[in-house]
Amino acid sequence: MRIKEYVQTLDGSPGVYRMLDKDGAVLYVGKARNLKKRVSSYAKPTGHSARIGRMISATASMMFLTTQTETEALLLEQNLIKQLKPKYNVLLRDDKSFPNIKVTIEHDYPQIEKHRGRKPKGAEYFGPFASAGSVNRTLHQLQKIFLLRNCSDNIFNSRTRPCLQYQIARCSAPCVGKISKEDYGVLVSDAMRFLSGKSTRIQEELAQKMQEASANMEFERAAGYRDRIRALTNIQGSQGINPQSVPEADVIALHLEGGQACIQVFFIRANQNWGNRAYFPRTGSGADADEILENFIAQFYDNKTPPKQLLLSNDVANVDLLQDALSQKAGRKVELIVPQRGEKAELVLNAHRNARESLGRRMSESAAQAKLLDGLADAFNLDQPLNRIEVYDNSHIQGAHAVGAMIVAGPDGFQKSSYRKFNIKSEDTTPGDDFGMMKEVLLRRFKRLLAEDPDRQTDVWPDLLLIDGGAGQVSAVAQIMAELGVDDVPFIGVAKGEDRDKGKEEFYRPNMRPFALRRNDPVLYFIQRLRDEAHRFAIGTHRNKRSKAISANPLDDVVGVGAARKKALLAHFGSGKAVSRAALKDLKAVDGVSDALAQTIYDFFHDKG
């Protein structure tokens, strides 16, 4: 009856609707070509699936937003789903960007490197690759074949003799003039042709050059071409399934079983298989295959450019609408195809087999994980089920480069997309004070939670905190939680026991005596895994911060010194340290450095002593 009341106020415009429960939490976000017709369908007493029936029964109010076109409604719907995470919507939970190979074409001697994130101008990008590992393997082989540099511009500009990469035949050493700009440009062009799928022609050209060198008795040069041909043959053979009839496509296959879904995505570029990745979207309490696949595709390409073709295992709902939206995003036609025969069908069949096997493994692992979570709740006498465990740790060296780290685990194992790092910022925290650092991390974490989700309508609130430390850390956490008024999130300190030996861990809770678990208890091993993962993440974060500090150039902090002047200074003096020691008149002699800037640079370093 409540939904019928809304129908009276709607017209036939396209738009997005939200269904809310009695507490105002969003149950479902949907799109419609005609809002009045779509909402009317929910007002009928019969003809609904069990999932839709439960959703209608829980609906207390609705919200509406009209759009100009149905395509706009589709894009807005997916944005709201990712933001609000409604219970009854299909949700892609892991939406990280993919790595690419980047060639910096604007440089006189372009660099080839791994790249992730937005794609600024001034470079060519090839990808996506399924993982950083697949990019690294491809880059390793490309260096053997095309001898392109992978060093940064700073290192390139400061070299005075060839590096080890040149000695082991992985680089042509353009930094010290071992190759001309024109010849290096040919290598860059060949590498880009290879990444565009023209490897056969490159192989023929290399073979011809090898024969010419051999005929001219330049046997060392001929051996170099021979090694490059072997590396090229190896990379062609190691790509896996290399379809001849599919130059560019993503192969997307869905397998549904037991209310859970797995979607495998294979990336085909330049007639080569550049890897695959499995996704396990939330199925919206039992959505059908066509709805799951439609929502997955719309959310998956929200921050990615779709290829020319998507080869699908199932038909999707609203295929024309989805195809139009993807085409608008890509700026060219994008086709959605469910192949029935031939090589394309074989690619989809292979992807579906991988999806089925991945889901089987995940369901088996989830059952074991659920048993461990239940055992953990029993061991610590916790009443509520554990869907989200947050584990905290700190890392520093005598207080330097201090960081805090948070990892998250739940029914699906480690949730790496939810990991967080905290650079210790407070000036009140004494360097090396572990208790003070833990206070700062927890304070920042829960202040943000209280600001963003005070009513706890999302799943980002933890059910348990594990703290790496003993009574002191637990006392510090208790103080912070009391200050914030958060008294219903349990927390436990995990401390190494006697002789810091694994298996003798002691557990601390506020106002309780420390206790231990049996050495062979599976729950103890589970806690050790959680603690070790937090320790690994904290140390890795600390090392990255320390490495950046060590490699930082002092010129980065000088006001008025941008990329061009920094390059000129380093080229003139050889290093940042030499710039810091330079006399004022020498600084003025650098091209592009005015008298005023030279004075600024001189004062910057001399003010620092």
Side-chain angles (χ1 to χ4, degrees):
M1 294 303 297
R2 186 75 181 106
I3 294 174
K4 279 185 178 180
E5 293 175 9
Y6 285 109
V7 173
Q8 307 305 318
T9 65
L10 297 173
D11 57 19
S13 301
V16 172
Y17 58 93
R18 280 176 271 183
M19 308 178 82
L20 295 82
D21 66 14
K22 59 183 177 59
D23 298 320
V26 180
L27 296 169
Y28 184 77
V29 176
K31 66 180 179 305
R33 180 182 300 173
N34 184 315
L35 279 172
K36 189 178 185 73
K37 286 185 178 179
R38 175 60 58 85
V39 177
S40 296
S41 69
Y42 292 117
K44 297 176 182 178
T46 59
H48 304 297
S49 66
R51 165 177 170 258
I52 299 300
R54 292 194 302 272
M55 182 180 72
I56 293 172
S57 298
T59 300
S61 61
M62 297 185 71
M63 295 175 64
F64 305 93
L65 181 62
T66 59
T67 58
Q68 294 292 327
T69 65
E70 192 181 4
T71 301
E72 290 180 6
L74 170 67
L75 298 176
L76 177 58
E77 175 201 33
Q78 297 306 325
N79 286 339
L80 289 173
I81 289 172
K82 293 175 78 172
Q83 176 186 345
L84 300 172
K85 300 178 174 60
K87 176 181 178 180
Y88 288 95
N89 279 103
V90 175
L91 177 66
L92 172 59
R93 291 182 283 194
D94 181 12
D95 193 24
K96 293 187 294 186
S97 63
F98 292 101
N100 292 266
I101 287 178
K102 174 184 175 183
V103 182
T104 56
I105 55 175
E106 286 194 346
H107 197 281
D108 289 342
Y109 295 93
Q111 171 195 17
I112 187 168
E113 63 177 345
K114 179 172 63 180
H115 176 82
R116 192 192 293 269
R118 68 182 189 89
K119 301 175 182 176
K121 295 180 181 179
E124 291 286 340
Y125 301 90
F126 300 90
F129 289 77
S131 66
S134 59
V135 173
N136 292 337
R137 287 190 295 273
T138 301
L139 284 173
H140 179 70
Q141 295 292 346
L142 286 175
Q143 284 183 266
K144 287 183 180 179
I145 301 164
F146 302 110
L147 311 178
L148 303 184
R149 72 178 182 97
N150 65 352
C151 58
S152 68
D153 290 349
N154 282 343
I155 293 175
F156 178 84
N157 293 330
S158 62
R159 294 298 305 181
T160 57
R161 58 181 181 178
C163 67
L164 181 62
Q165 292 293 313
Y166 174 77
Q167 306 295 339
I168 62 174
R170 297 288 188 275
C171 180
S172 52
C175 54
V176 292
K178 293 291 185 180
I179 185 172
S180 69
K181 179 180 176 181
E182 292 73 21
D183 289 342
Y184 190 84
V186 172
L187 293 178
V188 173
S189 177
D190 286 347
M192 294 171 66
R193 284 164 57 202
F194 170 78
L195 290 168
S196 299
K198 300 172 182 174
S199 57
T200 304
R201 191 178 305 171
I202 295 171
Q203 200 163 357
E204 292 172 354
E205 292 173 0
L206 289 174
Q208 184 178 350
K209 289 179 180 178
M210 181 180 69
Q211 292 174 358
E212 291 174 356
S214 179
N216 294 332
M217 296 189 178
E218 298 175 352
F219 298 118
E220 187 173 347
R221 185 160 160 256
Y225 286 124
R226 178 203 61 200
D227 293 341
R228 291 170 64 188
I229 291 170
R230 285 179 178 173
L232 186 57
T233 303
N234 180 55
I235 196 172
Q236 288 171 326
S238 65
Q239 284 287 344
I241 303 171
N242 295 322
Q244 299 302 309
S245 61
V246 186
E248 179 182 333
D250 284 349
V251 184
I252 303 176
L254 164 69
H255 182 72
L256 266 174
E257 184 178 334
Q260 299 187 49
C262 177
I263 295 178
Q264 279 276 353
V265 183
F266 281 73
F267 305 99
I268 308 295
R269 299 293 185 274
N271 294 97
Q272 298 173 8
N273 180 353
W274 281 355
N276 65 295
R277 183 176 290 185
Y279 292 89
F280 302 91
R282 196 183 71 190
T283 59
S285 299
D288 294 331
D290 59 349
E291 183 181 352
I292 292 173
L293 206 53
E294 178 196 359
N295 281 271
F296 173 84
I297 291 170
Q299 293 174 38
F300 184 74
Y301 293 106
D302 177 55
N303 60 351
K304 306 173 186 69
T305 301
K308 295 178 181 178
Q309 288 186 339
L310 304 185
L311 306 181
L312 310 179
S313 61
N314 303 70
D315 290 314
V316 298
N318 305 299
V319 61
D320 293 336
L321 174 64
L322 191 56
Q323 195 164 268
D324 181 54
L326 294 177
S327 298
Q328 287 187 27
K329 182 174 181 59
R332 50 172 166 72
K333 185 178 180 181
V334 176
E335 293 183 293
L336 275 65
I337 303 170
V338 183
Q340 303 299 318
R341 62 182 66 87
E343 189 174 35
K344 293 179 179 178
E346 291 178 6
L347 287 171
V348 173
L349 189 64
N350 177 60
H352 183 266
R353 182 178 66 252
N354 279 272
R356 183 180 66 248
E357 293 171 355
S358 295
L359 184 58
R361 288 192 295 270
R362 185 182 181 85
M363 292 173 72
S364 176
E365 292 167 1
S366 295
Q369 185 79 358
K371 188 175 180 180
L372 288 171
L373 291 173
D374 290 342
L376 182 57
D378 291 340
F380 295 137
N381 298 316
L382 304 176
D383 297 329
Q384 60 187 8
L386 299 179
N387 293 312
R388 182 183 174 99
I389 302 173
E390 293 182 357
V391 191
Y392 292 85
D393 193 9
N394 299 322
S395 184
H396 60 91
I397 295 179
Q398 295 182 344
H401 314 302
V403 295
M406 177 192 84
I407 70 156
V408 180
D412 296 326
F414 292 118
Q415 301 173 17
K416 296 194 175 183
S417 61
S418 298
Y419 286 16
R420 294 292 181 268
K421 58 185 177 182
F422 301 84
N423 289 314
I424 303 301
K425 301 176 180 178
S426 176
E427 295 180 359
D428 298 331
T429 302
T430 304
D433 179 6
D434 286 333
F435 302 157
M437 285 189 283
M438 188 61 69
K439 282 184 178 181
E440 179 180 339
V441 169
L442 269 294
L443 186 64
R444 286 164 57 184
R445 168 63 178 157
F446 280 89
K447 269 189 174 180
R448 183 166 183 172
L449 274 179
L450 289 167
E452 294 181 350
D453 186 22
D455 299 325
R456 309 193 186 189
Q457 295 182 355
T458 65
D459 57 1
V460 296
W461 276 84
D463 301 309
L464 174 65
L465 306 183
L466 290 180
I467 311 298
D468 185 40
Q473 277 85 354
V474 168
S475 177
V477 174
Q479 182 180 340
I480 290 298
M481 302 300 260
E483 288 178 13
L484 296 173
V486 179
D487 56 5
D488 57 346
V489 176
F491 51 92
I492 297 167
V494 183
K496 290 276 184 71
E498 186 180 343
D499 300 326
R500 300 186 62 81
D501 184 21
K502 273 191 177 183
K504 296 182 180 180
E505 281 83 355
E506 292 183 338
F507 303 98
Y508 293 79
R509 297 187 70 175
N511 305 317
M512 292 179 61
R513 292 173 61 86
F515 63 97
L517 298 175
R518 297 191 322 272
R519 291 196 65 144
N520 61 349
D521 192 332
V523 173
L524 177 59
Y525 298 144
F526 179 50
I527 294 172
Q528 289 171 353
R529 281 173 47 212
L530 295 175
R531 192 261 321 279
D532 291 347
E533 172 67 3
H535 197 51
R536 179 202 66 79
F537 183 60
I539 289 177
T541 303
H542 165 73
R543 284 175 177 165
N544 289 337
K545 184 177 181 180
R546 190 178 68 207
S547 297
K548 286 181 180 179
I550 291 171
S551 62
N553 194 302
L555 291 172
D556 295 337
D557 298 325
V558 182
V559 176
V561 176
R565 289 192 178 102
K566 177 181 172 183
K567 182 177 179 180
L569 287 163
L570 291 173
H572 186 92
F573 292 103
S575 69
K577 190 173 184 179
V579 175
S580 71
R581 294 174 173 175
L584 180 60
K585 65 177 183 179
D586 295 328
L587 291 170
K588 292 179 179 179
V590 179
D591 290 339
V593 176
S594 65
D595 290 352
L597 180 58
Q599 186 69 54
T600 299
I601 297 170
Y602 183 83
D603 291 343
F604 175 83
F605 288 111
H606 285 268
D607 284 347
K608 283 192 167 187

